[in-house]
């Protein structure tokens, strides 16, 4: 009965144009960006400041996406939520999925995960990276979200790595790069099965390097994993270009 009431209410609001879409960004430190005055820590969502609107989004690509839509489409009253937490891998993501995703009932869920799964695995890579298991867990999270909101749309983002900084100088860089590429193949396969928008952030940074041969890769990604301000800007532009069609806005800027 409660689910039926919620559905009916959402349908009515949608028809009358009063419904505000909820767009939630989930992931690790690349998405986190220190939102809620976390100071770069891995503080849980409920431990962060949710009232300071100067810092509610952090400083990642997520903030640039939210600011774009809130500036150009204020009448749509779109609701943006950052739930990225630094250091997250699939284990930590699963542990907080109910609290940070299901309870927030997103209409659009943007997910960027995988970097830390590979990073932690490299500390003890005696066994092959469990790609099949990782993919199955990823799919279960999407399925759980659809159970609550069958109309939810997904934006699945590929992790990336660059041969710069301490990560690029490490002896295991080639293995890291190869494994990230394998993870990205799975993300693309999942995106196809779930009719999701797939954002190839890995291709984005390779293209930037190719199109700006005189610019060091550290201009875009400073330590091999984390983008600079310029990198986040390019990620946001790609998100807006490819994922904006999921939002209740017409045209673009």
């Amino acid at each position: 009965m409660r689910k039926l009431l919620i559905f009916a209410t959402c349908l009515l609001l949608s028809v009358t144009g009063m419904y505000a879409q909820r767009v939630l960004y989930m992931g690790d430190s690349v998405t986190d960006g220190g939102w809620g005055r976390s100071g770069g820590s891995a503080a849980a969502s409920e431990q962060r400041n949710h009232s300071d609107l100067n810092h509610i989004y952090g400083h990642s690509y997520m903030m640039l996406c939210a600011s774009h839509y809130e500036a150009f489409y204020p009448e749509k009253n779109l609701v943006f939520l950052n739930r990225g937490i630094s250091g997250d891998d699939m284990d930590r993501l699963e542990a907080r999925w109910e609290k940070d995703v299901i309870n927030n009932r997103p209409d659009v869920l943007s997910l960027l995960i995988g970097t830390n799964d590979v990073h932690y695995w490299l500390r003890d890579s005696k066994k092959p990276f469990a790609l099949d298991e990782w993919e199955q867990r990823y799919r279960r999270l999407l399925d759980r979200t659809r159970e609550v909101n069958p109309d939810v749309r997904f934006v699945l983002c590929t992790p990336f790595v660059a041969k710069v900084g301490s990560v690029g100088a490490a002896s295991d860089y080639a293995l890291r790069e190869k494994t990230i590429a394998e993870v990205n193949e799975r993300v693309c396969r999942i995106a196809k099965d779930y009719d999701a928008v797939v954002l190839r952030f890995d291709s984005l940074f390779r293209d930037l390097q190719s199109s700006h041969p005189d610019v060091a890769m550290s201009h875009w990604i400073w330590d091999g994993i984390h983008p600079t301000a310029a990198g986040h800007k390019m990620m946001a532009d790609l998100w807006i270009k490819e994922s904006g069609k999921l939002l209740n806005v017409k045209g673009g800027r």
Side-chain angles (χ1 to χ4, degrees):
M1 179 63 70
R2 180 174 179 272
K3 288 184 177 180
L4 181 62
L5 179 60
I6 292 175
F7 174 79
T9 301
C10 290
L11 180 62
L12 175 62
L13 292 176
S14 178
V15 171
T16 59
M18 297 171 59
Y19 182 74
Q21 281 183 299
R22 298 172 65 81
V23 187
L24 190 149
Y25 293 73
M26 191 71 161
D28 52 36
S29 59
V30 176
T31 301
D32 185 334
W35 74 271
R37 287 188 174 275
S38 73
S41 72
S45 298
E46 64 271 20
Q47 297 171 348
R48 302 191 182 205
N49 189 315
H50 291 252
S51 61
D52 181 355
L53 298 187
N54 284 332
H55 301 89
I56 193 65
Y57 295 147
H59 54 258
S60 72
Y61 69 97
M62 180 275 163
M63 183 274 289
L64 297 175
C65 291
S67 62
H68 170 86
Y69 288 107
E70 290 185 342
F72 292 127
Y73 305 98
E75 69 283 355
K76 295 299 182 180
N77 295 314
L78 297 169
V79 176
F80 291 90
L81 301 169
N82 189 344
R83 289 300 181 268
I85 292 186
S86 180
D88 262 19
D89 60 356
M90 191 61 73
D91 287 344
R92 302 180 190 185
L93 210 67
E94 285 179 327
R96 64 186 183 89
W97 197 261
E98 194 76 18
K99 173 187 66 178
D100 282 344
V101 176
I102 301 303
N103 290 350
N104 280 309
R105 300 186 64 84
D107 298 291
V108 177
L109 172 65
S110 180
L111 177 58
L112 172 56
I113 198 68
T115 292
N116 286 320
D117 293 271
V118 175
H119 183 70
Y120 299 148
W121 168 75
L122 283 170
R123 294 176 179 175
D124 183 18
S125 55
K126 295 179 181 178
K127 296 182 179 180
F129 186 83
L131 277 167
D132 289 341
E133 178 187 351
W134 188 87
E135 179 181 347
Q136 290 167 6
R137 297 169 75 184
Y138 197 121
R139 289 174 181 269
R140 283 198 295 268
L141 293 177
L142 300 187
D143 289 340
R144 175 69 185 106
T145 309
R146 271 189 174 171
E147 288 175 3
V148 178
N149 179 9
D151 296 322
V152 66
R153 298 300 305 275
F154 299 120
V155 180
L156 307 185
C157 311
T158 58
F160 47 85
V161 66
K163 196 170 179 56
V164 296
S166 57
V167 168
S171 60
D172 61 7
Y173 178 79
L175 180 57
R176 180 190 296 268
E177 185 178 44
K178 174 179 178 294
T179 309
I180 289 290
E182 292 171 343
V183 166
N184 288 342
E185 290 178 3
R186 300 303 180 102
V187 173
C188 291
R189 184 162 71 184
I190 295 169
K192 183 178 180 180
D193 290 345
Y194 285 77
D195 191 27
V197 172
V198 60
L199 296 187
R200 294 299 302 264
F201 285 147
D202 58 323
S203 299
L204 168 68
F205 285 111
R206 283 196 297 270
D207 291 346
L208 286 171
Q209 189 172 29
S210 298
S211 60
H212 298 81
D214 297 329
V215 177
M217 190 60 187
S218 57
H219 179 78
W220 310 107
I221 301 176
W222 66 276
D223 64 350
I225 293 178
H226 298 95
T228 61
H232 279 291
K233 165 61 175 171
M234 301 307 290
M235 290 172 68
D237 285 354
L238 181 62
W239 200 103
I240 292 166
K241 176 183 177 182
E242 300 296 334
S243 308
K245 59 189 177 184
L246 303 182
L247 307 187
N248 290 330
V249 297
K250 294 183 179 180
R253 294 176 187 266

